[in-house]
Amino acid sequence: MPRSRAAAAAPPEVAFSNLDKVFFPASGFTKGELIRHYLDVAPWLLPHLRGRPVTLIRFPDGVRGESFYEKNVPKHAPPWIATHSVAHRRRAGGTRYILIDDAPTLAWCANLAAIELHPFLHRASEPGRPTHLVFDLDPGEGADLRTCAEVGFLVKKILDGLGLESFAKVSGSKGLQLYVPLNTAIAYAATRAFAKGVAEHLEQAHPDLVVSQMAKSLRRGRVLIDWSQNHEAKTTVGVYSVRGKRERPYVSMPVRWPELKGLRDPASLHFEPAEALRRLRKQGDLFEPLLTLEQRLPAAFASLGPEAAPAPVPSFGAYEAKRDFTRTREPPPAPAPKRKAARRSQTEAARFVIQKHDATRLHYDLRLEMGGALKSWAVPKGLPTELGVKHAAIEVEDHPLDYLTFEGVIPKGEYGGGTVMVWDIGTYELLGGSHGAGNLKLRLAGKKLRGEWHLFKIRGDEAKPTWLVAKSGVAAKPLTAFQQTRSVLTRRTLAGIARTA
Ligand code: MN
C-alpha cells in the first residue's frame, strides 16, 4: 500500500478562497468559519484522523446546494497532501484516499468545502483491522434523539454485561452513535457479526423501539441500529466533524451518558462550533479512550477471521464420513438450518471440553467452540500443568457442538472405538491469536483446569496438523487422583462408564 508524501522541506502553504461564502444560510455561517472551526479543534481532532483514510463530503455551494462524496484525492491537490491507495476488485487504479495527519491538510480540506469528514474505522497501515466498533442509531420518522438515547442505553447494558466500555456521540444530524474501542487484533467479520447480533437481539426484545434492517418503511417511530457500518469499505462521520445535514452547523460531539439519561430536549445536545469549542476546552476529549483503551469482543466473535465474512455455516463432512450413526452413539451433526441458528446467539462465552478417550491409545481430546463447531485436537499426554512443558496436540476434524457432553462407549471397530469420558468442561476466553493463524492464547475456566494455555501450530501441511500446547502465565495446581480419573459430569471412571454401557 504505497503512501506518498512529498519530501519537500518547505512548510506547506494553504491558499484559501471565498472565505465569506455563506455555507449555512440560517445562521450565516461562512466557509471562513468552517476553516476556523477545524483549526480550533485540530488538537483534539487530529489524533482521531491520523493515519486513517478519509472520505470528504463536499458542499461547494453550502448546505442548500449540491453535495458529493469525494473519496479520491483531487488531481489539483498539492504534493504535500499525504494519501493512501486502496486497490479495487472491480475498478482499475483503485482509490487514493487523503490522510489528514496535520493541520494544513485539515485546513486545505475545509477550503475544498469539505464540511463533513468521514474516516474509516481502520488505519491505512492495517486495512483489515478496525480499531473500534460502531453502532449508528438512526431515528425513523416520529422518533428523535431521545428515542436514540433510550436505545443507546439498551445497547450499553449489553456491552456493560460483557465488560465492554462504550462511548456516545451525537451524530450532528438526528441520531446517536455508540463507539466501542478495541485497539486489539480483530477483523471486520467479527465486529460486524457482533454488532449485527446485538441489533437483532434488541429488535426481537423491543420490536416497538428497534429495527435492525435498513428499510425506511420499518423505521417509523423506531430507531435503526445500523450495524453495517462495521465494514472495511464504509466510513462513519468523524468526531468533531461539522454536519451538512441541518440548517445550522451542528458538530458531531461526544456526550456523557448522564447527559443522555432522561434527555428532555434534543436541542440541548445540538452543538454549534463555538459551543463545541467551549465544551472541548472545559471537558477535553471525551473520545480519548477510542485511541488508547484495549478491549476484546467475546471469544466466539474474536475468532472470526477475515475469511469468515459472512461466517459460514459449519460443515462436518469429515466427521460424518468417518462414522456410522446406526452403530455409534456419538451425536450426528444438527441439520444446517439449526447450525445457522446456533451460530447467531453467540453472545455468551464460548465453551470447551476435554474428553478422556480410551481408544487404541489412551489420550485426551481438547475441543474449543468456534464459529458453531468444535475445533478439536487429540492430545496424547493431556494439557500440561507445569510451565516450560510442551505437549503435542494433533488437530482432527471439527466436531458438532453436541459432542461437548458426549460420554459413553464407541463400539469396537468403529472410528475411535473405545470409552469416552467428559474429563473437564467449561468456558474459555480467547486472549489472543486465531485458529487461522495457528496461534491461540486461551484462558480456560473449567471445573479442573483454570488459567492460561498457549496452543500453536508447528506443522500444518498435512491432513493432521501438529500443534504444541504449553501452560502460560503461572503453573496450574496439580490435580488430585480423583480429578485425574473421574468424569466431571458423572464422577464415573473409564471402567465405570464402560460397565454402564
Ligand atoms: Mn479421541
Side-chain angles (χ1 to χ4, degrees):
M1 308 268 169
R3 178 187 154 161
S4 68
R5 184 194 280 278
E13 262 179 40
V14 184
F16 296 120
S17 56
N18 301 319
L19 294 177
D20 295 329
K21 193 164 185 175
V22 172
F23 274 2
F24 290 82
S27 63
F29 189 82
T30 63
K31 180 172 162 183
E33 287 171 289
L34 180 76
I35 297 170
R36 179 79 264 153
H37 163 77
Y38 278 119
L39 290 174
D40 282 343
V41 302
W44 298 280
L45 169 57
L46 284 172
H48 292 284
L49 294 178
R50 210 160 272 148
R52 287 173 200 277
V54 63
T55 295
L56 312 177
I57 305 186
R58 293 175 61 185
F59 296 74
D61 297 310
V63 293
R64 287 188 189 166
E66 287 191 6
S67 65
F68 59 95
Y69 278 76
E70 183 101 87
K71 291 170 185 285
N72 256 308
V73 63
K75 285 203 174 66
H76 58 78
W80 50 265
I81 297 286
T83 61
H84 167 73
S85 293
V86 175
H88 277 289
R89 261 162 284 176
R90 277 172 306 214
R91 201 168 63 247
T95 305
R96 255 179 82 207
Y97 288 98
I98 296 172
L99 300 177
I100 304 179
D101 287 354
D102 52 32
T105 307
L106 191 55
W108 182 81
C109 290
N111 189 60
L112 283 185
I115 292 179
E116 298 195 7
L117 308 177
H118 291 232
F120 284 83
L121 302 182
H122 58 258
R123 295 200 180 87
S125 55
E126 281 181 278
R129 175 178 154 184
T131 55
H132 46 268
L133 183 152
V134 177
F135 294 95
D136 190 4
L137 310 187
D138 195 4
E141 218 181 301
D144 62 19
L145 191 57
R146 286 169 296 197
T147 337
C148 288
E150 203 180 328
V151 172
F153 277 101
L154 296 174
V155 177
K156 181 179 188 292
K157 196 176 164 197
I158 292 176
L159 297 171
D160 288 349
L162 296 167
L164 293 168
E165 257 195 277
S166 55
F167 300 84
K169 74 175 169 69
V170 291
S171 71
S173 177
K174 291 174 181 164
L176 188 71
Q177 287 143 352
L178 259 64
Y179 283 63
V180 183
L182 297 170
N183 298 309
T184 47
I186 193 80
Y188 274 106
T191 56
R192 189 163 54 253
F194 178 83
K196 185 171 187 235
V198 170
E200 289 176 348
H201 168 75
L202 288 176
E203 180 178 47
Q204 276 177 17
H206 305 273
D208 50 330
L209 197 57
V210 174
V211 290
S212 71
Q213 293 151 70
M214 295 296 286
K216 279 236 158 91
S217 57
L218 297 171
R219 220 180 292 178
R220 181 164 251 294
R222 300 182 178 89
V223 171
L224 166 71
I225 302 181
D226 187 358
W227 49 267
S228 68
Q229 301 280 20
N230 298 288
H231 193 285
E232 58 262 45
K234 296 219 177 166
T235 59
T236 302
V237 67
V239 68
Y240 310 124
S241 172
V242 176
R243 297 311 296 278
K245 298 228 172 190
R246 310 286 292 269
E247 283 292 298
R248 290 178 165 270
Y250 295 131
V251 179
S252 186
M253 283 297 284
V255 290
R256 294 177 193 273
W257 286 108
E259 294 179 283
L260 293 168
K261 193 99 219 166
L263 178 66
R264 292 232 177 87
D265 178 13
S268 68
L269 295 182
H270 292 160
F271 306 104
E272 293 192 43
E275 179 59 21
L277 187 60
R278 262 198 300 280
R279 260 176 90 89
L280 269 169
R281 287 189 172 138
K282 206 169 135 203
Q283 307 185 321
D285 178 16
L286 295 180
F287 256 32
E288 205 270 339
L290 267 293
L291 302 170
T292 53
L293 181 59
E294 295 183 5
Q295 303 194 105
R296 290 177 197 282
L297 297 184
F301 292 96
S303 62
L304 290 176
E307 75 284 355
V313 178
S315 69
F316 300 101
Y319 178 86
E320 286 184 281
K322 289 176 176 172
R323 289 168 176 81
D324 177 353
F325 294 103
T326 63
R327 289 188 42 83
T328 180
R329 299 176 79 170
E330 293 168 283
K338 232 182 132 186
R339 274 179 248 161
K340 212 170 170 178
R343 200 190 54 194
R344 197 173 289 166
S345 59
Q346 289 193 353
T347 44
E348 326 101 289
R351 295 166 292 178
F352 84 95
V353 66
I354 297 173
Q355 275 141 336
K356 195 167 179 178
H357 187 180
D358 187 11
T360 316
R361 281 193 192 84
L362 181 70
H363 64 273
Y364 295 82
D365 290 298
L366 168 67
R367 309 189 198 281
L368 303 172
E369 181 182 16
M370 275 183 196
L374 297 175
K375 292 286 168 203
S376 297
W377 292 262
V379 190
K381 295 184 180 170
L383 272 60
T385 53
E386 293 164 60
L387 293 172
V389 181
K390 296 186 186 86
H391 289 174
I394 315 302
E395 186 170 6
V396 299
E397 74 277 9
D398 287 1
H399 281 47
L401 295 179
D402 287 343
Y403 217 97
L404 273 166
T405 52
F406 175 72
E407 183 168 285
V409 175
I410 302 171
K412 239 190 168 125
E414 288 300 297
Y415 177 74
T419 310
V420 178
M421 168 200 288
V422 176
W423 183 79
D424 196 14
I425 197 163
T427 60
Y428 77 93
E429 193 186 338
L430 187 65
L431 301 173
S434 69
H435 179 267
N439 179 18
L440 293 165
K441 287 179 179 151
L442 309 169
R443 182 181 291 130
L444 303 182
K447 296 211 163 79
K448 293 176 185 171
L449 298 185
R450 304 185 71 87
E452 294 177 24
W453 275 266
H454 187 193
L455 202 60
F456 49 98
K457 199 191 280 193
I458 53 168
R459 272 207 317 274
D461 52 344
E462 57 212 294
K464 291 188 170 178
T466 305
W467 298 56
L468 291 177
V469 58
K471 185 76 190 73
S472 54
V474 295
K477 253 197 285 183
L479 297 164
T480 63
F482 189 88
Q483 286 176 316
Q484 279 170 9
T485 53
R486 301 284 177 150
S487 161
V488 280
L489 291 188
T490 60
R491 305 184 137 227
R492 293 180 295 178
T493 60
L494 280 167
I497 296 165
R499 254 199 316 276
T500 327

